[in-house]
Coordinates of all heavy atoms in Angstrom, one line a residue:
M1 N 43.0 -2.1 -9.1 CA 42.2 -1.3 -9.9 C 40.7 -1.7 -10.1 O 39.9 -1.0 -10.2 CB 43.0 -1.2 -11.4 CG 42.6 0.0 -12.2 SD 43.2 1.5 -11.7 CE 43.2 2.4 -13.2
K2 N 40.6 -3.0 -10.3 CA 39.3 -3.5 -10.4 C 38.6 -3.4 -9.2 O 37.3 -3.2 -9.3 CB 39.4 -5.0 -10.8 CG 39.9 -5.3 -12.2 CD 39.9 -6.8 -12.5 CE 40.4 -7.1 -13.9 NZ 40.5 -8.4 -14.2
K3 N 39.2 -3.5 -8.1 CA 38.3 -3.3 -6.7 C 37.8 -1.9 -6.6 O 36.7 -1.8 -6.2 CB 39.2 -3.6 -5.5 CG 39.5 -5.2 -5.3 CD 40.3 -5.5 -4.1 CE 40.5 -7.0 -4.0 NZ 41.3 -7.3 -2.8
S4 N 38.6 -0.9 -7.1 CA 38.1 0.5 -6.9 C 37.0 0.6 -8.0 O 36.0 1.4 -7.6 CB 39.3 1.4 -7.2 OG 39.7 1.3 -8.6
N5 N 37.0 0.1 -9.2 CA 36.0 0.2 -10.0 C 34.7 -0.5 -9.6 O 33.6 0.1 -9.8 CB 36.4 -0.4 -11.5 CG 37.4 0.4 -12.3 OD1 37.5 1.6 -12.1 ND2 37.9 -0.3 -13.2
L6 N 34.8 -1.5 -8.9 CA 33.6 -2.2 -8.4 C 33.0 -1.4 -7.2 O 31.9 -1.3 -7.1 CB 34.1 -3.6 -7.8 CG 33.0 -4.4 -7.2 CD1 31.9 -4.7 -8.3 CD2 33.5 -5.7 -6.7
A7 N 33.9 -0.8 -6.4 CA 33.4 0.0 -5.3 C 32.8 1.3 -5.8 O 31.7 1.6 -5.4 CB 34.6 0.5 -4.5
V8 N 33.3 1.9 -6.9 CA 32.5 3.1 -7.6 C 31.3 2.7 -8.1 O 30.2 3.4 -8.0 CB 33.6 3.8 -8.5 CG1 32.8 4.8 -9.4 CG2 34.8 4.4 -7.9
T9 N 31.4 1.6 -8.8 CA 30.1 1.0 -9.5 C 28.9 0.8 -8.4 O 27.9 1.2 -8.5 CB 30.3 -0.2 -10.2 OG1 31.4 0.0 -11.3 CG2 29.0 -0.6 -10.9
A10 N 29.3 0.2 -7.4 CA 28.4 -0.1 -6.2 C 28.0 1.2 -5.6 O 26.7 1.3 -5.3 CB 29.2 -1.0 -5.1
A11 N 28.8 2.2 -5.3 CA 28.3 3.5 -4.8 C 27.3 4.1 -5.6 O 26.4 4.7 -5.3 CB 29.6 4.3 -4.6
I12 N 27.7 4.3 -7.0 CA 26.7 4.9 -7.8 C 25.4 4.2 -7.9 O 24.4 4.7 -8.0 CB 27.5 5.0 -9.3 CG1 28.5 6.0 -9.2 CG2 26.4 5.5 -10.4 CD1 29.4 6.0 -10.5
T13 N 25.5 2.8 -8.0 CA 24.2 2.0 -8.1 C 23.5 2.3 -6.8 O 22.2 2.5 -6.8 CB 24.5 0.6 -8.2 OG1 25.3 0.3 -9.3 CG2 23.3 -0.3 -8.2
G14 N 24.1 2.4 -5.6 CA 23.3 2.7 -4.4 C 22.8 4.1 -4.4 O 21.6 4.3 -4.0
L15 N 23.4 5.1 -4.9 CA 22.8 6.4 -5.1 C 21.7 6.5 -6.0 O 20.7 7.1 -5.7 CB 23.9 7.5 -5.4 CG 25.0 7.7 -4.3 CD1 26.1 8.6 -5.0 CD2 24.5 8.5 -3.2
L16 N 21.8 5.7 -7.0 CA 20.6 5.8 -8.0 C 19.5 5.1 -7.4 O 18.4 5.6 -7.5 CB 21.0 5.0 -9.2 CG 22.1 5.8 -10.2 CD1 22.6 4.8 -11.4 CD2 21.4 7.0 -10.7
A17 N 19.6 4.0 -6.8 CA 18.5 3.3 -6.0 C 18.0 4.2 -4.9 O 16.6 4.2 -4.9 CB 19.1 2.0 -5.5
M18 N 18.7 4.9 -4.2 CA 18.2 5.7 -3.3 C 17.4 6.9 -3.7 O 16.3 7.2 -3.2 CB 19.3 6.4 -2.1 CG 19.8 5.3 -1.3 SD 21.3 5.9 -0.4 CE 20.9 7.6 0.0
G19 N 17.8 7.5 -4.9 CA 17.2 8.5 -5.6 C 15.8 8.1 -6.2 O 14.8 8.6 -6.0
T20 N 15.7 6.8 -6.6 CA 14.4 6.2 -7.0 C 13.6 5.9 -5.9 O 12.3 6.4 -6.0 CB 14.8 4.9 -7.8 OG1 15.7 5.1 -8.9 CG2 13.5 4.2 -8.3
L21 N 14.1 5.6 -4.8 CA 13.1 5.2 -3.7 C 12.6 6.6 -3.1 O 11.5 6.6 -2.6 CB 13.9 4.6 -2.6 CG 14.4 3.1 -3.0 CD1 15.2 2.5 -1.8 CD2 13.1 2.3 -3.2
T22 N 13.4 7.6 -3.0 CA 12.9 8.9 -2.4 C 11.9 9.5 -3.5 O 11.1 10.3 -3.0 CB 14.1 9.8 -2.0 OG1 14.8 10.1 -3.2 CG2 14.9 9.2 -1.0
A23 N 12.1 9.3 -4.8 CA 11.3 10.0 -5.8 C 9.8 9.3 -5.8 O 8.8 10.0 -6.2 CB 11.9 10.0 -7.1
A24 N 9.7 8.2 -5.5 CA 8.4 7.3 -5.6 C 7.3 7.9 -4.9 O 6.2 8.1 -5.4 CB 8.7 5.9 -5.2
P25 N 7.5 8.3 -3.5 CA 6.3 8.9 -2.9 C 5.8 10.2 -3.6 O 4.7 10.6 -3.7 CB 6.8 9.2 -1.5 CG 7.9 8.2 -1.3 CD 8.6 8.1 -2.7
A26 N 6.8 10.9 -4.2 CA 6.5 12.2 -4.7 C 5.5 11.9 -6.1 O 4.6 12.7 -6.3 CB 7.6 13.0 -5.3
V27 N 5.9 10.9 -6.7 CA 5.1 10.5 -7.9 C 3.8 9.9 -7.5 O 2.7 10.2 -8.1 CB 5.9 9.3 -8.8 CG1 5.0 8.9 -9.9 CG2 7.1 10.0 -9.3
A28 N 3.7 9.1 -6.4 CA 2.5 8.6 -5.8 C 1.6 9.8 -5.5 O 0.4 9.6 -5.4 CB 2.6 7.6 -4.8
A29 N 2.1 10.8 -5.0 CA 1.2 11.8 -4.5 C 0.6 12.6 -5.6 O -0.5 13.3 -5.4 CB 2.1 12.9 -3.7
D30 N 1.0 12.5 -6.9 CA 0.4 13.1 -8.0 C -0.7 12.2 -8.5 O -1.2 12.4 -9.6 CB 1.5 13.3 -9.1 CG 2.5 14.5 -8.6 OD1 2.0 15.2 -7.7 OD2 3.5 14.5 -9.2
K31 N -1.0 11.1 -8.0 CA -2.0 10.0 -8.5 C -3.2 10.0 -7.5 O -3.1 10.3 -6.4 CB -1.4 8.7 -8.6 CG -0.1 8.8 -9.5 CD -0.4 8.8 -11.0 CE 0.9 8.7 -11.7 NZ 0.7 8.7 -13.1
E32 N -4.3 9.5 -8.0 CA -5.4 9.2 -7.1 C -6.2 8.1 -7.8 O -6.2 7.8 -8.9 CB -6.3 10.5 -7.0 CG -6.9 10.9 -8.4 CD -7.7 12.2 -8.3 OE1 -7.9 12.7 -7.1 OE2 -8.3 12.7 -9.3
K33 N -7.0 7.5 -6.9 CA -7.9 6.3 -7.3 C -9.1 6.9 -7.8 O -9.7 7.7 -7.3 CB -8.2 5.4 -6.1 CG -7.0 4.6 -5.4 CD -7.5 3.8 -4.3 CE -6.3 3.1 -3.7 NZ -6.8 2.4 -2.4
C34 N -9.5 6.4 -9.1 CA -10.8 6.9 -9.7 C -11.6 5.6 -9.8 O -11.4 4.7 -10.5 CB -10.4 7.4 -11.0 SG -11.8 8.3 -11.8
Y35 N -12.8 5.7 -9.1 CA -13.7 4.6 -9.1 C -14.9 4.9 -10.1 O -15.2 6.0 -10.4 CB -14.4 4.6 -7.7 CG -13.5 4.3 -6.5 CD1 -12.8 5.2 -5.9 CD2 -13.3 3.0 -6.2 CE1 -12.0 4.8 -4.9 CE2 -12.4 2.6 -5.2 CZ -11.8 3.6 -4.6 OH -11.0 3.2 -3.5
G36 N -15.3 3.8 -10.6 CA -16.5 3.9 -11.7 C -16.2 4.1 -13.0 O -17.1 4.4 -13.9
V37 N -14.8 4.0 -13.4 CA -14.5 4.3 -14.8 C -13.8 3.2 -15.5 O -13.6 3.3 -16.7 CB -13.7 5.6 -14.9 CG1 -14.5 6.9 -14.5 CG2 -12.4 5.5 -14.1
S38 N -13.3 2.2 -14.7 CA -12.7 1.0 -15.3 C -13.6 0.2 -16.3 O -14.7 0.2 -15.9 CB -12.0 0.2 -14.4 OG -12.9 -0.4 -13.6
K39 N -13.0 -0.4 -17.2 CA -13.7 -1.3 -18.1 C -13.7 -2.7 -17.4 O -12.8 -2.9 -16.5 CB -12.9 -1.5 -19.5 CG -13.1 -0.3 -20.3 CD -14.4 0.1 -20.8 CE -14.6 1.2 -21.7 NZ -15.9 1.5 -22.0
A40 N -14.6 -3.5 -17.8 CA -14.6 -4.9 -17.2 C -13.3 -5.6 -17.3 O -12.6 -5.5 -18.3 CB -15.6 -5.7 -17.9
G41 N -12.7 -6.1 -16.2 CA -11.4 -6.8 -16.2 C -10.2 -6.0 -16.3 O -9.1 -6.3 -16.5
K42 N -10.4 -4.6 -16.2 CA -9.2 -3.7 -16.4 C -8.9 -2.8 -15.0 O -8.2 -1.9 -15.1 CB -9.4 -2.7 -17.5 CG -9.6 -3.4 -18.9 CD -8.3 -4.1 -19.1 CE -8.6 -4.8 -20.6 NZ -7.2 -5.4 -21.1
N43 N -9.6 -3.1 -13.9 CA -9.3 -2.5 -12.6 C -7.9 -2.6 -12.2 O -7.4 -3.6 -12.5 CB -10.3 -2.8 -11.7 CG -10.4 -4.2 -11.3 OD1 -10.5 -5.1 -12.2 ND2 -10.4 -4.5 -10.0
D44 N -7.4 -1.7 -11.5 CA -6.1 -1.8 -10.9 C -6.0 -2.7 -9.7 O -4.8 -3.2 -9.4 CB -5.6 -0.4 -10.6 CG -5.2 0.3 -11.9 OD1 -5.0 -0.3 -13.0 OD2 -5.0 1.6 -11.8
C45 N -6.9 -2.8 -8.8 CA -6.8 -3.5 -7.5 C -8.0 -4.2 -7.2 O -9.0 -4.1 -7.8 CB -6.1 -2.6 -6.5 SG -5.3 -3.4 -5.2
A46 N -7.9 -4.7 -6.0 CA -9.0 -5.4 -5.4 C -10.3 -4.5 -5.3 O -10.2 -3.3 -5.2 CB -8.9 -5.9 -4.0
T47 N -11.4 -5.0 -5.3 CA -12.8 -4.4 -5.2 C -13.5 -5.0 -3.9 O -12.9 -5.8 -3.2 CB -13.8 -4.6 -6.3 OG1 -14.1 -6.0 -6.3 CG2 -13.1 -4.3 -7.7
K48 N -14.5 -4.3 -3.4 CA -15.3 -5.0 -2.3 C -15.8 -6.4 -2.6 O -16.0 -7.1 -1.7 CB -16.5 -4.1 -2.0 CG -16.2 -2.7 -1.5 CD -17.5 -1.9 -1.3 CE -17.1 -0.5 -0.8 NZ -18.3 0.3 -0.7
T49 N -15.9 -6.8 -3.7 CA -16.4 -8.1 -4.2 C -15.4 -9.1 -4.8 O -15.7 -10.2 -5.0 CB -17.6 -8.0 -5.1 OG1 -17.2 -7.3 -6.3 CG2 -18.8 -7.2 -4.6
S50 N -14.2 -8.6 -4.8 CA -13.1 -9.4 -5.4 C -11.8 -9.1 -4.8 O -11.6 -8.0 -4.2 CB -13.1 -9.4 -6.9 OG -12.6 -8.2 -7.4
S51 N -10.7 -10.0 -4.8 CA -9.5 -9.7 -4.2 C -8.4 -9.5 -5.1 O -7.3 -9.5 -4.7 CB -9.2 -10.9 -3.3 OG -9.1 -12.0 -4.0
C52 N -8.6 -9.3 -6.4 CA -7.5 -9.3 -7.4 C -7.7 -8.1 -8.4 O -8.9 -7.7 -8.6 CB -7.3 -10.5 -8.2 SG -6.8 -11.8 -7.1
A53 N -6.6 -7.5 -8.9 CA -6.7 -6.6 -10.0 C -7.2 -7.3 -11.3 O -7.0 -8.6 -11.4 CB -5.3 -6.0 -10.3
G54 N -7.9 -6.6 -12.2 CA -8.4 -7.2 -13.4 C -9.6 -8.0 -13.2 O -9.9 -8.9 -14.0
T55 N -10.4 -8.0 -12.1 CA -11.5 -8.8 -11.9 C -12.8 -8.0 -11.8 O -13.9 -8.6 -11.6 CB -11.4 -9.6 -10.5 OG1 -11.2 -8.6 -9.5 CG2 -10.2 -10.6 -10.5
A56 N -12.8 -6.8 -12.3 CA -14.1 -6.1 -12.4 C -15.1 -6.8 -13.4 O -14.7 -7.2 -14.4 CB -14.0 -4.7 -12.7
K57 N -16.3 -7.1 -13.0 CA -17.2 -7.8 -13.9 C -18.1 -7.0 -14.8 O -18.5 -7.6 -15.8 CB -18.3 -8.5 -12.8 CG -17.6 -9.3 -11.8 CD -18.2 -10.8 -11.7 CE -17.5 -11.7 -10.7 NZ -16.2 -11.9 -10.7
E58 N -18.0 -5.7 -14.7 CA -18.7 -4.8 -15.6 C -18.0 -3.5 -15.8 O -17.3 -3.1 -14.9 CB -20.2 -4.6 -15.2 CG -20.3 -3.9 -13.8 CD -21.7 -4.0 -13.3 OE1 -22.3 -4.9 -13.3 OE2 -22.0 -2.8 -12.8
D59 N -18.3 -2.8 -17.0 CA -17.8 -1.5 -17.2 C -18.3 -0.7 -16.2 O -19.5 -0.7 -15.9 CB -18.2 -1.0 -18.6 CG -17.4 -1.8 -19.7 OD1 -16.5 -2.5 -19.4 OD2 -17.8 -1.5 -20.9
G60 N -17.6 0.4 -15.6 CA -18.1 1.3 -14.8 C -18.4 0.9 -13.3 O -19.2 1.5 -12.7
Q61 N -17.9 -0.3 -13.0 CA -18.2 -0.8 -11.8 C -17.9 0.0 -10.6 O -16.8 0.7 -10.6 CB -17.5 -2.2 -11.5 CG -18.1 -3.0 -10.2 CD -17.3 -4.4 -10.2 OE1 -17.2 -5.1 -11.4 NE2 -16.8 -4.8 -9.1
K62 N -18.9 0.4 -9.8 CA -18.7 1.5 -8.7 C -17.5 1.3 -7.7 O -17.0 2.2 -7.1 CB -20.1 1.8 -8.0 CG -21.1 2.4 -9.0 CD -20.6 3.7 -9.7 CE -21.7 4.2 -10.5 NZ -21.2 5.3 -11.4
D63 N -17.3 0.0 -7.5 CA -16.3 -0.2 -6.2 C -14.9 -0.6 -7.0 O -13.9 -0.8 -6.2 CB -16.6 -1.3 -5.5 CG -16.9 -2.7 -6.0 OD1 -16.9 -2.8 -7.3 OD2 -16.9 -3.7 -5.2
A64 N -14.7 -0.6 -8.3 CA -13.4 -0.8 -9.0 C -12.8 0.4 -9.4 O -13.5 1.4 -9.9 CB -13.8 -1.7 -10.2
F65 N -11.5 0.5 -9.3 CA -10.8 1.7 -9.5 C -9.6 1.6 -10.5 O -9.1 0.5 -10.5 CB -10.3 2.5 -8.2 CG -9.1 1.9 -7.5 CD1 -7.8 2.1 -8.0 CD2 -9.3 0.8 -6.6 CE1 -6.8 1.4 -7.3 CE2 -8.4 0.3 -5.8 CZ -7.1 0.6 -6.2
V66 N -9.2 2.6 -11.1 CA -7.9 2.7 -11.7 C -7.2 4.0 -11.2 O -7.8 5.0 -10.8 CB -8.2 2.8 -13.4 CG1 -8.6 1.6 -13.9 CG2 -8.9 4.1 -13.6
V67 N -5.9 3.9 -11.4 CA -5.1 5.1 -10.8 C -4.9 6.0 -11.8 O -4.4 5.7 -13.1 CB -3.7 4.5 -10.2 CG1 -3.0 5.7 -9.8 CG2 -4.0 3.6 -9.0
V68 N -5.1 7.3 -11.7 CA -5.0 8.3 -12.7 C -4.3 9.6 -12.1 O -4.2 9.7 -10.9 CB -6.4 8.8 -13.2 CG1 -7.1 7.6 -13.9 CG2 -7.3 9.3 -12.0
P69 N -3.8 10.4 -13.0 CA -3.2 11.6 -12.5 C -4.2 12.5 -11.6 O -5.4 12.6 -12.0 CB -2.9 12.4 -13.7 CG -2.7 11.3 -14.8 CD -3.7 10.4 -14.6
K70 N -3.8 13.0 -10.5 CA -4.5 13.9 -9.6 C -5.3 14.8 -10.4 O -4.8 15.6 -11.3 CB -3.8 14.5 -8.6 CG -4.5 15.0 -7.4 CD -3.5 15.3 -6.3 CE -4.0 14.9 -5.0 NZ -4.0 13.6 -4.5
G71 N -6.6 15.0 -10.1 CA -7.4 16.0 -10.9 C -8.2 15.5 -12.1 O -9.1 16.1 -12.4
L72 N -7.8 14.3 -12.6 CA -8.4 13.9 -13.9 C -9.7 13.2 -13.6 O -10.7 13.3 -14.5 CB -7.4 12.9 -14.6 CG -7.9 12.2 -15.9 CD1 -8.3 13.2 -16.9 CD2 -7.1 11.2 -16.3
C73 N -9.9 12.5 -12.4 CA -11.1 11.7 -12.1 C -12.3 12.5 -12.2 O -13.3 12.1 -12.7 CB -10.8 11.0 -10.8 SG -12.2 9.8 -10.4
D74 N -12.2 13.8 -11.6 CA -13.4 14.5 -11.6 C -13.8 15.0 -13.0 O -15.0 15.4 -13.2 CB -13.1 15.7 -10.7 CG -12.9 15.5 -9.3 OD1 -13.5 14.4 -8.7 OD2 -12.1 16.3 -8.7
K75 N -13.0 14.8 -14.0 CA -13.3 15.3 -15.3 C -13.9 14.0 -16.1 O -14.3 14.3 -17.2 CB -12.1 15.8 -16.0 CG -11.6 17.0 -15.4 CD -10.3 17.5 -16.0 CE -9.6 18.6 -15.3 NZ -8.4 19.1 -16.0
L76 N -13.7 12.9 -15.6 CA -14.2 11.7 -16.3 C -15.8 11.4 -16.0 O -16.1 11.4 -14.9 CB -13.3 10.5 -16.0 CG -11.9 10.6 -16.2 CD1 -11.1 9.4 -15.8 CD2 -11.7 10.7 -17.8
V77 N -16.5 11.2 -16.9 CA -17.9 10.7 -16.9 C -18.0 9.6 -15.9 O -17.4 8.4 -16.2 CB -18.6 10.5 -18.2 CG1 -20.1 10.0 -17.9 CG2 -18.5 11.8 -19.0
G78 N -18.7 9.7 -14.8 CA -19.0 8.6 -13.8 C -17.7 8.5 -12.9 O -17.8 7.6 -12.0
G79 N -16.8 9.3 -13.0 CA -15.6 9.1 -12.2 C -15.8 9.7 -10.6 O -16.5 10.8 -10.6
S80 N -15.3 9.0 -9.7 CA -15.4 9.5 -8.4 C -14.2 9.1 -7.6 O -13.7 8.0 -7.8 CB -16.8 8.9 -7.7 OG -16.8 9.1 -6.3
T81 N -13.8 9.7 -6.7 CA -12.6 9.5 -5.8 C -12.9 8.8 -4.6 O -12.1 8.3 -3.9 CB -11.7 10.8 -5.5 OG1 -12.7 11.6 -4.8 CG2 -11.2 11.5 -6.6
E82 N -14.2 8.5 -4.5 CA -14.8 7.6 -3.3 C -15.5 6.3 -3.9 O -16.2 6.5 -4.8 CB -15.7 8.4 -2.4 CG -15.0 9.6 -1.8 CD -15.9 10.3 -0.9 OE1 -17.0 9.8 -0.6 OE2 -15.6 11.4 -0.6
S83 N -15.2 5.2 -3.2 CA -15.9 4.0 -3.6 C -17.4 4.1 -3.2 O -17.8 4.5 -2.2 CB -15.1 2.8 -3.0 OG -15.9 1.6 -3.1
A84 N -18.2 3.5 -4.1 CA -19.7 3.3 -3.9 C -20.0 2.1 -3.1 O -19.3 1.0 -3.3 CB -20.4 3.6 -5.1

């Protein structure tokens, strides 16, 4: 009885993991990089002048980005979907 419960649990866990993995690209497709709007030290990833997240030296740094929902960047003051 315990072996069958373990097998069922493993199967359900596997299905849940697969569902999460297949849903991730769909979620990522709804996001975009928005350059020029992050606060100093609050950027999401590397810039042209640094290699780590959280290293933007100034507010609105043109090569630093944050990930936002698709379409939002164009509405933000100073926001651009292309790095300067």
Side-chain angles (χ1 to χ4, degrees):
M1 196 75 152
K2 288 183 181 181
K3 288 184 181 181
S4 65
N5 285 342
L6 182 60
V8 170
T9 302
I12 291 171
T13 302
L15 289 173
L16 290 173
M18 284 176 39
T20 302
L21 293 175
T22 57
V27 172
D30 294 337
K31 306 280 183 184
E32 64 187 357
K33 293 179 182 180
C34 188
Y35 295 89
V37 297
S38 67
K39 295 290 185 185
K42 300 294 182 182
N43 58 307
D44 283 341
C45 201
T47 68
K48 290 180 181 177
T49 57
S50 67
S51 62
C52 297
T55 57
K57 303 236 185 290
E58 59 188 42
D59 290 352
Q61 187 173 320
K62 296 297 181 190
D63 66 339
F65 72 87
V66 291
V67 177
V68 297
K70 194 171 222 75
L72 177 62
C73 188
D74 293 332
K75 297 175 184 177
L76 298 175
V77 174
S80 173
T81 55
E82 296 181 15
S83 177

